[in-house]
Amino acid sequence: MRLSHPGLADPEFYVPGLPADYVAARYGISGADIAKLGSAENPLGASPLAVQAIREHLEDLHLYPSWTAEPLREKISLRYGFEPERVMCGAGETEIISWIIRAFCEPGGRIQMPGPCFPIYHLFAEAEDRVPVLVHEATDRATMAVDVDAYIDAIGGDTRIVFVTNPHSPSGAWMTEGEVRRIIEASPEALVVLDEAYVHYSGTSGYIHLADDYDNLVVLRTFSKAFGLAGLRVGFGVGPKPVVDACLAVKPTWNMGVLQTAGAAAALDDKDHLDATVDMIAKGRAHAQARFDTLERFRMVPGSRSNFFLVEILDPSTDSTEVFEGLLERGVIVKDGSVSFRGLDRRFLRCDANRPDRMDRLVDALGNLP
């Protein structure tokens, strides 16, 4: 059997955060004693309003859903001030990213992204026989923020898609509105994808309004993080109608089920849950920074505006994989930067910002490593 292109013969796969039950079984640790800090999940769980709405729609499982998730499109349009036809909904942002790559970059075309970045950008590009261009030279190694000037300099006339993640993953670094506008305006021949998956933790309302100002911009958001619906798989994008129409043409026809649509629509009304989540993450992030100031072998990279942050390993006698394994033995799950992010070397871990007591578990475990 012949593959569509050679890149699929030995593909690279996404590396998710380890599940707690795997660590419990491997190390003989009680699930209650495990601090899961590798998946950026909501410590408060799912939006209660979403859970209620899902229960109320269980009797609708025999019905085909709207093929465009119309009830959710309409709810999003009302919340953010866009016409429904400018909204598209997918099984998480990741599905929408796959449509964008397929619709707006031809095989062999170039897709630009910071280096390191959310791995799905380059994994999907390679799976579709496109060329991911990771701009590692645009990353400031002290802050792990994106140097906008260097990033703009890398945009070529043959660049088809430019990814911007704000807050950035894996660092949580933040770009100003002016910086984002500069990237968009420097990419007139490319589609700019502004990924705002973690924007609720930034202390701002984000830049979704920029979708009204540019015809080469799509803004993505997710229900997985602040709304606590990672297991439901819901994301959305807002952009020009021609861009949305092209994505709808390549998406699976019934990609969104009744429960996804109902749960996400209800979550948009759950301000109490959203506010409590954002407040907890902010407190946990600040608590972690204070605790890291007491460590000599590890540094919390400053400036994160997300629900995760990078930890730099200052001790030259160890590396990220050794520290990652040592933390697992102590019931703390993080991400090994060298495994999870292309171009993030063996000196970094990515850790969730979470409840203060879980931040204590992380810092105490780091302090107890040999």
Side-chain angles (χ1 to χ4, degrees), residues 219-241:
V219 183
L220 304 183
R221 290 197 177 182
T222 183
F223 287 86
S224 296
K225 309 304 179 183
F227 295 107
L229 301 181
L232 199 61
R233 310 307 306 132
V234 188
F236 71 93
V238 175
K241 186 177 183 298

Side-chain angles (χ1 to χ4, degrees), residues 21-45:
D21 54 0
Y22 168 83
V23 177
R26 178 178 173 184
Y27 295 101
I29 303 171
S30 167
D33 293 329
I34 293 175
K36 189 181 180 188
L37 303 174
S39 300
E41 293 164 340
N42 191 317
L44 296 182

Side-chain angles (χ1 to χ4, degrees), residues 49-58 60 69 71-72 75 229 232 234 256-268:
L49 291 187
V51 173
Q52 178 182 341
I54 289 168
R55 288 175 176 153
E56 291 172 354
H57 284 78
L58 290 175
D60 297 335
L72 181 55
K75 188 68 173 284
L229 301 181
L232 199 61
V234 188
M256 298 287 294
V258 172
L259 302 187
Q260 291 167 288
T261 300
L268 281 174

Side-chain angles (χ1 to χ4, degrees), residues 18 22-23 26-27 29 318-336 339 346 349 369-370:
L18 289 176
Y22 168 83
V23 177
R26 178 178 173 184
Y27 295 101
I29 303 171
T318 188
D319 62 31
S320 60
T321 301
E322 290 181 351
V323 175
F324 172 76
E325 292 288 347
L327 290 175
L328 289 184
E329 294 172 4
R330 290 159 177 79
V332 179
I333 303 171
V334 297
K335 279 197 169 185
D336 177 353
V339 173
R346 302 176 73 86
L349 307 166
L369 290 176

